[in-house]
Amino acid sequence: PSQRRREMEEITGAQIIAEALRAQNVEYMFGIVGVPVIEVAMAAQAAGIKYIGMRNEQAACYAASAVGYLTGRPGACLVVSGPGLIHALGGMANANMNCWPVVVVGGSSDQNQETMGAFQEFPQVEACRLYSKFSARPSSLEAIPAVVEKAVRCSTYGRPGACYIDIPGDMVNGRVERAKVRVVPCCLPPPVSLAEPQAISQVVAVLQQAKRPLLIIGKGAAYAHAESNIQNLLDLTGFPFLPTPMGKGVVPDSHPNCVAAARSRALQQADVILLLGARLNWMLHFGVPPRFHPNVKFIQVTLKLIFPPFPFPLEKNTFDEFAKCVSFYGN
């Protein structure tokens, strides 16, 4: 009888959002409350999510994405409609470019007030598409758990990034029988792929022939918690290495193979460079002379190549999960 009563009880949209986020193992929510998302913050706390009130939506989105980077599970960012969501766009763009998982939940005007000049009305779903991997509004209260699961999954699968869920005010306070809301189980961890054995054999052959090899350890190595794999690789090969700013700590700078003190010379003299979770962007001078040797070969171990082709022929191999790839090479 008690189970039957629970199924027949009504549940609000705010509760559905909160419980769906908690079902996806979202533990932290940062935001600024106001109309129409006050009830979402209250429901999140009731569901066991730690809510941290902030003073600016951009800072809230930065904090939520930082939690996503540190834990591997997206933080949630709760914002009001219009200006609140617009302020969060900077944090979403930062998360997308830095590959940090975050899910932004934004309140919006009631559905029956669209195009009528509603309070702080703004085309939020469309605006967020430029700065996110996924941007959507649930079609009904019953659809909320599925949309939340997809947002969390998209934020962590492949190259991590920002996702946006738009919740109209009438959905926040709308009610539906709990039995009509399908519980969506937590999405599985991001799938792990391995490079083709032939590609790995090519990498090994290139590294064996290298006279001045260099490892560059990037942020992706830290996100993948590949410390032990990379330490084993260094012990096996004795290669010198450089950490990027966000790659520091994967292997201590006190390691005897760290050549950070001679960074410029190491980059200029290396004939083969193995990039572990690092991108040839401005931090690494785009991989071009005079910072690098004109005939240098790059082996890039990354989730996905997103930049244009290199300006000159390189040894390029892309692996989907470099911690496993390094382990394979070490074996």
Side-chain angles (χ1 to χ4, degrees), residues 231 234-235 239 241 251-259:
Q231 182 69 60
L234 290 171
D235 293 342
F239 288 167
F241 75 90
V251 179
D253 282 4
S254 58
H255 192 284
N257 292 29
C258 181
V259 293

Side-chain angles (χ1 to χ4, degrees), residues 142-193:
E142 294 88 341
I144 289 175
V147 172
V148 170
E149 187 274 341
K150 186 170 184 178
V152 171
R153 175 160 42 88
C154 288
S155 75
T156 58
Y157 276 37
R159 188 174 288 278
C163 292
Y164 176 67
I165 302 172
D166 192 74
I167 304 293
D170 53 335
M171 272 194 171
V172 171
N173 296 302
R175 291 178 173 273
V176 66
E177 287 185 10
R178 181 180 288 274
K180 295 181 179 180
V181 181
R182 185 172 67 89
V183 176
V184 179
C186 184
C187 59
L188 296 174
V192 175
S193 301

Side-chain angles (χ1 to χ4, degrees), residues 21-323:
L21 287 169
R22 194 68 194 92
Q24 299 303 318
N25 287 337
V26 172
E27 297 185 27
Y28 298 93
M29 177 181 284
F30 300 81
I32 299 178
V33 295
V35 176
V37 296
I38 297 173
E39 292 82 1
V40 176
M42 296 171 63
Q45 293 173 81
I49 296 174
K50 301 177 183 67
Y51 179 82
I52 299 94
M54 306 290 282
R55 298 192 179 197
N56 179 272
E57 289 87 358
Q58 186 177 9
C61 198
Y62 283 150
S65 58
V67 161
Y69 171 72
L70 293 171
T71 65
R73 208 68 192 164
C77 176
L78 182 67
V79 299
V80 300
S81 60
L85 185 276
I86 293 170
H87 292 165
L89 292 179
M92 293 176 67
N94 182 72
N96 243 24
M97 292 306 297
N98 280 293
C99 309
W100 293 359
V102 64
V103 172
V104 177
V105 178
S108 59
S109 51
D110 291 0
Q111 295 174 94
N112 63 355
Q113 297 175 359
E114 282 190 358
T115 74
M116 297 175 64
F119 176 65
Q120 297 185 168
E121 183 178 359
F122 187 73
Q124 299 180 181
V125 175
E126 292 83 357
C128 288
R129 288 203 174 105
L130 282 173
Y131 310 101
S132 64
K133 297 177 64 181
F134 172 78
S135 180
R137 170 190 286 185
S139 58
S140 64
L141 293 176
E142 294 88 341
I144 289 175
V147 172
V148 170
E149 187 274 341
K150 186 170 184 178
V152 171
R153 175 160 42 88
C154 288
S155 75
T156 58
Y157 276 37
R159 188 174 288 278
C163 292
Y164 176 67
I165 302 172
D166 192 74
I167 304 293
D170 53 335
M171 272 194 171
V172 171
N173 296 302
R175 291 178 173 273
V176 66
E177 287 185 10
R178 181 180 288 274
K180 295 181 179 180
V181 181
R182 185 172 67 89
V183 176
V184 179
C186 184
C187 59
L188 296 174
V192 175
S193 301
L194 186 65
E196 294 180 0
Q198 182 180 359
I200 296 178
S201 298
Q202 292 174 351
V203 168
V204 173
V206 171
L207 289 173
Q208 286 175 335
Q209 295 170 10
K211 293 183 173 64
R212 298 178 303 279
L214 177 67
L215 268 64
I216 295 181
I217 301 172
K219 175 175 58 184
Y223 184 75
H225 300 290
E227 294 87 351
S228 60
N229 290 284
I230 294 177
Q231 182 69 60
N232 291 339
L233 179 62
L234 290 171
D235 293 342
L236 175 70
T237 63
F239 288 167
F241 75 90
L242 280 174
T244 65
M246 290 293 288
K248 281 185 174 292
V250 175
V251 179
D253 282 4
S254 58
H255 192 284
N257 292 29
C258 181
V259 293
R263 181 181 186 274
S264 294
R265 184 171 179 81
L267 295 178
Q268 289 174 339
Q269 297 296 318
D271 62 345
V272 175
I273 295 179
L274 177 60
L275 297 159
L276 301 179
R279 294 180 281 186
L280 286 174
N281 56 15
W282 66 273
M283 285 190 183
L284 290 175
H285 318 290
F286 311 106
V288 299
R291 294 286 190 164
F292 290 82
H293 192 281
N295 297 319
V296 65
K297 295 179 180 179
F298 287 95
I299 301 167
Q300 189 168 16
V301 185
T302 182
L303 284 167
K304 180 182 179 183
L305 284 174
I306 62 171
F307 293 117
F310 296 104
F312 47 89
L314 304 171
E315 294 286 341
K316 299 194 299 291
N317 291 282
T318 303
F319 309 130
D320 288 311
E321 208 287 322
F322 74 88

